[in-house]
Amino acid sequence: MKKKLTNKEIALSIIVFILGMVLFMLIVFSTLTLNEGGNVFGYIGDHVHNFVTVAVTIAVLTALTFVYFWFENKTVLSKPSQILEIFILFSISAAGYAVVARFISPVARPASFVAMMLVMVSGRRDSIFLNSVYAIIMLVIDRYANEQAGQAFSIYVSYASFLATFCSGIVAIFLFKNIKTRLGSVLAGLVLLVPVLAINGAILLTTTDAISTEYILVDFLLYSALDCIFSVLAFFVLLPVFEFVFAHLTPFRLRELTSDNAKIIKLLKKNALGTYNHSVVVAQLAEACAAAIGEDPELARTAAYYHDVGKLKSPDMFAENQSEVNLHQQLTPELSADIIRSHTRDGAKLIKRHHLPEFLADVAVEHHGTMPIKYFYAKALKMSDGELPIGVYSYNGPTPTSKIAAIVMIADSSEAATRSLTDRSPEKVEALVKSLIEERMNLDQFADCDITMRELSIIAVTVATQLSGVYHSRVQYPKLTITKKSN
């Protein structure tokens, strides 16, 4: 679904792009004058044409990046923090390049760090484009810096570094997009050594002018290995920081959020065990459905774990957490409906209060859409003489805006409804799930997300299959007492 930007969002995105560009330029110029001490302004004056070249390159490529997002992904432009994050990544990497080049070797610079980070915090297509932009900028900076250094082999180092950054970055993007564990990141880092060695070897070790005592074979191998090691180490150190500051849902973060040690999950298990058990089953259903239609299974699983956390505010008011006493018997239907529907908003607030990603809050507030709360509406009808406005007994919405939110909506209602069935045969469960989906379609609950009829059919079959496995019939055990004498 194409996102339309408001005039305010457009203006703000332009301002943030300019601020990010200025920040990046300041970091770059600082690295270029690293060796000048107190003569910085004099040095800039003597080489003003080089600084202008670098500044124009950064400005042009920044403008190109804005145009790219305008046509390909306006969602980024609507989030100033995401724009700023890109420039912070570029700035950190440029500073790291300069430090490693000065104190170790240009060959040892972490060429694929930016790509590793980008693919974890943005889409694959965006990462490929941004990695290309970064590689070009660093090539221009390298040519300027090496020109001032007056090194005979500088041109070869510059182009080897450019190709290593670009090619190893592309490989990293395709590798790290599917990485789910820290060990997998280490192994992927070892794979990145292949393109780095191939590029550096082809350009540096086969060029006569580039061969010197500094580039003997042992040093070459060591520096190429350090390139990958520094990239992976920087990735491990900085990714958790970016996950927290910018609330990203990386595969590592998703697993942390669904572990038993996650703060809200611990609260659910302690104060709302019934809701926790319900959420575990819904998570299983959502994960299977997401995989079946090509969505992110782990993201769906995590969203399902957190979809009902708003019930923590008043856990005893919800059936799955009650024992023998139903507190709603003492309340009017209107008040009961208000308490029940408030758990979606309360869940979103709780998620935001714990600085968790906004996507989880969106699913929490959307998973009931604007569906009526039938039990209390029916109860109110019995107590009244005429018709009642159903809106008073309905959730406030909004309706699902993503496929995963729609999946959680279906899984949530299907799990709750299946528990009330006396006959849980696969045919009955499938018929129930299809009726729930059809009801939501008739009430326009999927109008704001781009889910298709084919995907809804796949979800219906998947949910029914999973629920039949969870609530399958069991053999009736005989009433037989075994004692020691029976042996």
Side-chain angles (χ1 to χ4, degrees), residues 173-191:
I173 287 168
F174 284 96
L175 282 178
F176 276 73
K177 186 63 178 177
N178 300 314
I179 293 296
K180 305 295 183 184
T181 63
R182 309 286 180 182
L183 177 60
S185 300
V186 175
L187 296 177
L190 293 176
V191 174

Side-chain angles (χ1 to χ4, degrees), residues 107 111-112 164 168 191-201 220 223-225 227-228:
V107 181
S112 51
S168 67
V191 174
L192 293 177
L193 186 57
V194 176
V196 172
L197 282 172
I199 291 167
N200 288 338
F220 163 74
Y223 292 146
S224 296
D227 175 336
C228 298

